[in-house]
Every structure is written in C-alpha cells, then in structure tokens.
Amino acid sequence: MWADSESNVDYLNYSEVSEMICEMIADDAMLPISLGVYGTWGVGKSSILKLVQKELEADSQNLIITFDAWLYQDFDEAKSALMTVIAKTLYDQSSKGLKERAAGLYRRVNKLKLLGIAADAGALAAGIPTFGMFGKAAESLEDIWEGTGDEADVKVVKDAANDAGQRAKGLLKPNEKRNAPEEIAAFRKEFEDLLNETGRRLVVFVDNLDRCLPANAISTLEAMRLFLFLPNTAFIVAADEEMIRLAVAKHFSDPGDRHITDYLDKLIQVPIRVPKLGLQEVRAYLAMLAIASAKSVDAGKVEAVRAALISKLRKSWSEEPPFEVKDVVSTLGISEGSELAATLESMDRLAPLLAHSVRVNGNPRIVKRLLNVIRMRSKTAKRRGMPLSESFIAKLALFERIVGEEAIQQLGTLVNAAPNGKPTLFSEFETWVGEIPAETLPIHWQKQAPFVLDWLKLDPMLAGVDLGPAVYLARETLPLRVASTRLSPVARQSLGTLLKTVSTISRASKDAIAAIPAAEVGDVMEEMISAMSRNLDWSKARPDFRGAAMLAKADATAHGKLVRFAKTIETPPRWMTALMKDDEESSVGGNS
C-alpha cells in the first residue's frame, strides 16, 4: 500500500521545477520574490514544495518556515496566524544576541492582534486594518446600532469586550496610543532590521491555501502583504489557481476577471504551473510505486532505477526511445518470472488508460489511491482463496473508477445473470473485427464509450472468465472506492457538512448544497451513498440520510440516485419514508 501524502523523493521529474525555483531563490538579485506553484488537487504541488525545501535546507543561509494555511482554518485570527508563525520561528532560530530583538517583534505581533479589536468594532473608517478577531461581535454591534439587535447580540458584544480586556493585559500601557498604521510600519522596520542582522534569507512555504474557506484564504494572502518586498524574503505559495480566483471573486463581490488577475499578480510575481503528466511520466510513476512497495529490493538498485527513469523523462523531447520494463527488471537484478516483474508488466499495461482517461488524467494522487484499492482487493482475494489475479482486479477497478454508478451496476447485473459468471458480451467484443460501434455497448456504458472501447482491449481478456468473485469483491470493498478523489475542495467540504446534517432546515446544509458546483452534485450524492453504505443500522434517524434527502430535494439527478439506493434497503424505517414522502417518485419499497 502507498501513503496518501507528499514526498521529497522525485518519481515524476518534478525536480526540474524544484531546481528552477531554488535557482531563483538563491539569486539574491531576485529577492524579494513571491512564487505561486499552481495546479489542481492531487497533481503534486506539496511534493514540489518538499523537494524545494529539501534542497534549500542544505544551505544554512536559508531560514525555512512552513505554514499550512488549512491548519488555521477554524481560527478567528486567520490573518494574524501567518505573522505569529513567522515571528515565533525567527525567535526560535535567532542567536542569543538577537533573542531580545526577536522577542520584541513577537510582542509587536501580539499588539497588532489587539489593535484588531478596535478595527472589528467599527474603526475601519479610520484606516485601521481588521485581523478578524471579533467578527461576530462587530456584526452584532452593527445590528444593535441599526435597531435590529436582540439579547443574543448584546451577549456577543459583552463577551467580546470581556475577552478584549483579558487579551489586552500586559500588552498596552496606560494611556498608550493605539495607532495601527504606525504599528504596522514599526513591525516591518523591526522585521527588516532583524532579518538583516541574522544575515539569512527567509523562505516561507504556504501550502493548502486552496483548501481554506474564501475568507481564510484571503486573510492569509493579505497577511503576506506585510512581508512582501522586504529584503531577503521569498514566499512560495502552493494552490489551485482557480480556487483562489473563486475566493477573490467571492471576497470582493465579483470584481471581474481583470481585477482578480491584477490582485493575484500583485501578490504572486512568478506563477509556476505543475506540468501535466504524459504517458511516459505515468509509466515511470507506476513502476517506481511498484518497486518502492517491494521490501526485498536493494535500496541502491531502487535509486539506480529512479535516476535512470528521471534521465529518460528529461530526454523525452528527443528521439531517444522510452524505457522498457525489461530494462527496469534487469537493473533491479530480479527474475523476469518474479512477482515484482509481473506487477511491473501489469502496471505498465494500465498506464495508457490512467494517463488519458478523463477521470484520472494522470493525476498522481488518484493513481496512487486507485493502486491502493487494487492492492487491498488483491490481499482480500488471497485471504479468501478467490481465483483472482491482480491484473483482473486492476482491470475491473479501473472500470469502476472511470464509469458512473449505473454502468457499474449494469456490469454486476450482467455477471450475476450469466451462467457461471461469464457474460457472452466479452467474447463478442474481444473477437470483434474492426472498430466496435459505440451503440452496441450496454446502454449505460455508452456514456463513456471511448474509455470502454479501449478498456475492452486491455489485458487480461475477460472472455470465458468467471467474474462473479470479482464483482462480489468490489461490492464488499465499496466503502473504500476512490470516487471522492474526483471532487473539488468545495464539493468535498459540502459533502462533509451534509453528512452531519442535524435538521432538514439546517442553514449550514442549505448553504453547503448551494455551494456545490452543478457538475458535481451527482458525484456528491454518490459519495454520500458510499458513506451511508458503511453503516447499515437504520434503527433511528441519521444525519447522513437527512443531508442526502435535502440534496435530493434540490436536484433531480441526486434524487434519482438516492431513490435507487433507498430501494435496496429491505425494510425502510418510517422515519426514512417520512423524509422522502413529499416526492411521489420517492417510494422506498425494498428489493423487489
């Protein structure tokens, strides 16, 4: 199995990107600088940051700070979190002679936090920036001023005032003036002086910005502005550019594409996009994942293969032929008939479809999760004595990953209805002379006809094979399917909210439904059904089904999926029937 985390070992020739970033940062003439490592979810942004960090840490002149914006997602002081982390790291890394200077910088950060109290209470007109400490109190205070406040608003403001008093103890002296612009200028001056005295470059890595809610993402970007353009500083931000553009648009109330671009260009001077993987990169990645999981292979030989594959990828522009599996087997010094050699061959056959299929598209994280499903099912089949090789399991798992739920169910129906679990259609299609007409495929397979037609030609052939055990195995491991990897961060966040729906009138759940991109509503419902399938106790009303019912009421496609799922429940409880009774197509009558 493979860990679903970033790596500082390069399997994809991302070192070319990391080397370019390191060269820019090492050039003092380029500083200060801000770089954006852009790419969609799972393409390897965090891994590139790890590679850059590994190289920069080798030079003691670089002071490295890592800031995971997502970890501060639920903090009221999101804007000040970055400032605090930087100030604290500078203090920890300062020499004995600079400790007091660094401590002074840290105290100034706390003072800026305190000034945020005044800002949130309405001092924006005076030009004081807000750090979001008492956003709720500010909203309640505004309601009171407008005559629409209630007792709850009064309580929020009183609590905020008491908290402000506690926070202020020891930070401000009596009669001390609290001038935010002067404090910010002083902060920048102290920061610059301290950095100059250390004689080091400050390199800040900001990761997972695209996983944050829009307000938190913007707060982090705004905090970066305090440090930008100060000498000897570099910021490297990893994010999905489209998600950040959406956050900017929401925060500034749809300012227009040009203004969004201008805003990002001012904060990110050098945009670097993670290169899309081609076939050869996917082949190399699969080979290295297989080798890395083999415990008996000599580490030196593994590194020799990795270096050789990276060298091949760097020369892929030339006429030099791509690597062959037999060359990898030879370098490893293993037998061509060994289990590892067979796995390498099997993965190499999967590579074209993983590289080009629309729902995988060479995405490293999706590839890794799909391989984990294959490996998990292979181990389960072995424990149960099922006559299934890893290649058959891989082929069927790939089918599940690409096609929709209805196509998967149709395959199961065909297998269950066929004598000995051997559908005749595979014999017909696999012996077809010429191109197979898409309209001859089962109806629900036609939506993904290009993929299915390629998939049918993929080894191993399925004609004459009892697929019953494979279909059973897939059903048993359904909760571990990787469908959620295709959801955007916004859709995944909405999914999490809907699974915890406390009431069918929940405002949070309604907002979550409204936030789901239209193209992903069906996928979110599929994920909810997958999650509900893990717990078959329907004795009492459940928050996950409440959320699913709300989503079904809002969208016809989601409704149809939930109805089909509900019909698989043999004896639906009354609370479930009541949730769905408003829709005349929502009857849940069991398996008949």
Side-chain angles (χ1 to χ4, degrees), residues 67-222:
F67 181 78
D68 189 331
W70 200 26
L71 291 179
Y72 298 90
Q73 170 75 12
D74 296 324
F75 281 62
D76 288 337
E77 301 172 26
K79 184 175 287 187
S80 64
L82 179 61
M83 297 169 57
T84 302
V85 170
I86 291 176
K88 178 67 165 57
T89 304
L90 277 172
Y91 176 81
D92 292 339
Q93 296 292 322
S94 293
S95 62
K96 187 175 181 180
L98 295 176
K99 280 289 186 185
E100 181 54 36
R101 293 285 301 276
L105 182 69
Y106 191 78
R107 287 193 293 269
R108 197 170 291 279
V109 169
N110 287 333
K111 190 178 292 187
L112 283 171
K113 291 182 188 179
L114 181 63
L115 289 173
I117 298 172
D120 281 340
L124 286 173
I128 301 176
T130 173
F131 288 95
M133 290 181 68
F134 290 158
K136 291 182 180 178
E139 292 174 4
S140 295
L141 193 59
E142 184 177 352
D143 289 342
I144 292 172
W145 284 340
E146 292 181 355
T148 59
D150 54 19
E151 291 183 7
D153 288 317
V154 174
K155 184 178 186 303
V156 167
V157 173
K158 285 183 177 179
D159 290 345
N162 291 334
D163 195 17
Q166 293 298 318
R167 290 170 186 256
K169 287 181 179 179
L171 287 177
L172 294 176
K173 298 175 183 178
N175 301 320
E176 184 175 10
K177 293 183 179 180
R178 298 183 291 181
N179 187 312
E182 290 180 0
E183 285 292 338
I184 290 174
F187 172 83
R188 286 172 58 87
K189 182 66 168 61
E190 283 191 26
F191 176 80
E192 181 178 350
D193 290 345
L194 179 60
L195 205 57
N196 285 334
E197 290 188 45
T198 64
R200 302 173 73 182
R201 301 187 198 96
L202 179 72
V203 184
V204 183
F205 293 89
V206 179
D207 199 5
N208 288 326
L209 194 63
D210 48 8
R211 293 190 178 189
C212 297
L213 293 172
N216 295 74
I218 297 301
S219 290
T220 303
L221 289 173
E222 290 292 314

Side-chain angles (χ1 to χ4, degrees), residues 393-557:
I393 292 172
K395 184 168 182 176
L396 291 171
L398 181 61
F399 182 85
E400 284 182 40
R401 181 61 185 87
I402 305 301
V403 303
E405 182 183 348
E406 292 175 333
I408 297 170
Q409 291 177 348
Q410 192 164 23
L411 174 61
T413 300
L414 289 169
V415 171
N416 292 333
N420 301 317
K422 302 175 182 179
T424 57
L425 67 83
F426 289 117
S427 299
E428 296 170 5
F429 289 142
E430 290 172 1
T431 57
W432 196 290
V433 177
E435 291 295 321
I436 301 173
E439 60 270 18
T440 62
L441 295 172
I443 185 66
H444 294 303
W445 297 15
Q446 294 176 19
K447 297 177 184 178
Q448 294 289 341
F451 162 78
V452 174
L453 294 174
D454 285 338
W455 177 80
L456 288 169
K457 301 172 187 175
L458 180 69
D459 286 332
M461 297 293 104
L462 302 179
V465 177
D466 181 2
L467 298 176
V471 170
Y472 174 83
L473 185 65
R475 185 172 65 250
E476 285 285 284
T477 56
L478 183 64
L480 297 172
R481 281 176 56 199
V482 294
S484 63
T485 59
R486 66 177 178 262
L487 296 181
S488 67
V490 170
R492 289 200 304 275
Q493 186 161 344
S494 294
L495 170 65
T497 300
L498 290 175
L499 289 172
K500 300 174 183 178
T501 300
V502 297
S503 166
T504 53
I505 60 171
S506 165
R507 169 51 58 187
S509 293
K510 289 179 180 178
D511 291 344
I513 291 171
I516 301 172
E520 295 188 276
V521 173
D523 290 338
V524 170
M525 179 57 83
E526 286 185 16
E527 274 303 288
M528 297 198 71
I529 290 171
S530 177
M532 289 189 290
S533 299
R534 303 176 196 179
N535 176 11
L536 300 180
D537 180 8
W538 303 105
S539 59
K540 57 183 179 180
R542 287 170 34 173
D544 51 6
F545 198 91
R546 286 195 201 98
M550 290 180 68
L551 183 59
K553 186 176 180 180
D555 182 84
T557 300

